[in-house]
Amino acid sequence: MCTNIVYEWLKTLQLPQYAESFVDNGYDDLEVCKQIGDPDLDAIGVAVPHHRRRIHEAVRRLKEADETAAGLYF
């Protein structure tokens, strides 16, 4: 199994089973993961609605963290 930032992120979401599929589909860092939408989750193989919601919520939090950090520089 891969041990990288995406694996660690998915592990915190209690979804590590998707880590290999994420990386195989090019989602190998969190910047890329911020762009994930429903078609991407289909391609990755995330079919369980609860898992999809959990990932969407985590992506939203990643984007919010970026906006908060950007505000620190101005």
Side-chain angles (χ1 to χ4, degrees):
M1 181 58 74
C2 53
T3 53
N4 66 16
I5 190 72
V6 174
Y7 172 75
E8 294 299 325
W9 179 63
L10 289 167
K11 198 165 88 171
T12 65
L13 300 176
Q14 298 177 339
L15 299 171
Q17 67 269 33
Y18 297 114
E20 192 171 340
S21 293
F22 266 67
V23 172
D24 288 348
N25 283 278
Y27 296 94
D28 55 356
D29 69 45
L30 294 182
E31 287 301 314
V32 178
C33 288
K34 290 176 192 172
Q35 309 306 315
I36 288 176
D38 283 320
D40 306 301
L41 293 179
D42 292 339
I44 292 167
V46 182
V48 179
H50 180 70
H51 292 178
R52 293 171 77 94
R53 282 192 302 275
R54 204 180 305 168
I55 291 168
H56 280 305
E57 177 65 21
V59 167
R60 185 187 62 75
R61 287 193 308 267
L62 285 174
K63 290 177 181 177
E64 285 178 357
D66 269 2
E67 291 169 8
T68 301
L72 297 176
Y73 298 112
F74 298 107

